[in-house]
């Protein structure tokens, strides 16, 4: 079910379903809450699931000025505070992962557990193909990819697409820029997940997991940057397992991440 809530002048659209502890799903850049169709119903069987659309995405309008993951994290913090969710299980996919990590670092009291899907902490964590994807040479291709998703839903009208697209490009070409320095201070449990043919280098995801005090690493076989669409049931199972209160006993830990 879709609902709206206006906080700090931003009328935000979000999908909500289920009952229980809160789970928040953050979509990737240029997409919408609809991209979670493979996970939202499964998670809603056990949790109260929210899938908000960030400013300038989907059914949430744009506001003047540039965008950054830090600004979007502030938007999210305001939304969760207004909703009164308390600490949430927070899942961020791609650019949504950057927003999720920003929030976890700046407002740790709002995040119970964190999942980063196909999301790094620095530009050099991306593969060569990932870096090329957002280059000037591929601008027209990206425009043709995201315009059809934007125009039918945006409350700002289809003519506003060039404005938000320029903002996205500026952000994608400079972020993520969080780095590793602050990761040891993030005490919430974190699941770092990516495809084995993703835009994030596997070693970069492993380095993120090593830098965190309480992290797990999942590399999904036969998937790319859109694993939640390619293997939705597997992603849902991993999320449900991670959110569960009980952890499997590690019978023979041999330090793979550390070594």
């Amino acid at each position: 079910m879709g609902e709206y809530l206006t906080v700090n002048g931003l009328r935000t659209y979000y999908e909500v379903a289920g009952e229980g502890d809160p789970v928040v799903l953050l979509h990737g850049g240029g997409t919408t809450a609809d991209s979670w169709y493979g996970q939202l119903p499964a998670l809603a069987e056990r949790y109260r699931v929210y899938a908000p659309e960030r400013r300038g995405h989907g059914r949430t309008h744009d506001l003047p000025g540039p965008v950054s993951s830090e600004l979007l994290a502030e938007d999210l913090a305001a939304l969760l505070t207004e909703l009164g969710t308390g600490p949430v299980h927070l899942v961020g996919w791609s650019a949504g992962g950057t927003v999720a990590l920003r929030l976890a670092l700046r407002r740790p009291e709002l995040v119970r557990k964190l999942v980063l899907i196909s999301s790094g902490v620095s530009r050099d964590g991306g593969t060569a193909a990932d870096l090329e994807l957002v280059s000037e040479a591929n601008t027209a291709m990206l425009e043709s990819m995201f315009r059809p998703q934007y125009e039918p839903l945006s409350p700002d009208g289809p003519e506003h697409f060039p404005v938000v697209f320029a903002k996205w490009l500026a952000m994608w070409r400079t972020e993520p820029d969080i780095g590793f320095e602050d990761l040891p201070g993030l005490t919430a449990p974190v699941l770092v997940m990516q495809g084995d043919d993703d835009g994030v280098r596997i070693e970069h995801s492993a380095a993120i997991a090593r830098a965190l005090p309480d992290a797990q690493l999942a590399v999904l076989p036969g998937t790319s940057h859109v694993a939640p669409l390619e293997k939705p049931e597997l992603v849902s199972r991993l999320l449900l397992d991670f959110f569960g209160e009980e952890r499997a006993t590690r019978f023979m830990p041999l330090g793979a991440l550390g070594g």
Side-chain angles (χ1 to χ4, degrees), residues 79-103:
L79 178 68
L80 297 183
T81 300
E82 187 68 20
L83 287 170
T85 60
V88 303
H89 297 312
L90 182 60
V91 184
W93 178 3
S94 190
T98 310
V99 177
L101 182 55
R102 289 277 191 202
L103 183 71

Side-chain angles (χ1 to χ4, degrees), residues 5-75:
L5 186 63
T6 300
V7 185
N8 295 340
L10 181 65
R11 186 171 186 260
T12 300
Y13 174 87
Y14 61 96
E15 295 284 336
V16 59
E19 296 297 334
D21 292 338
V23 172
V24 176
L25 306 175
L26 302 182
H27 59 77
T31 64
T32 71
D34 300 331
S35 59
W36 292 110
Y37 70 85
Q39 288 71 49
L40 199 153
L43 295 176
E45 292 181 5
R46 303 186 193 179
Y47 297 96
R48 178 73 164 173
V49 185
Y50 300 88
E53 293 179 337
R54 297 190 293 280
R55 64 167 69 193
H57 288 74
R59 287 145 284 212
T60 299
H61 68 93
D62 188 27
L63 290 175
V67 295
S68 66
S69 60
E70 191 159 355
L71 175 63
L72 297 173
E74 291 174 3
D75 289 344

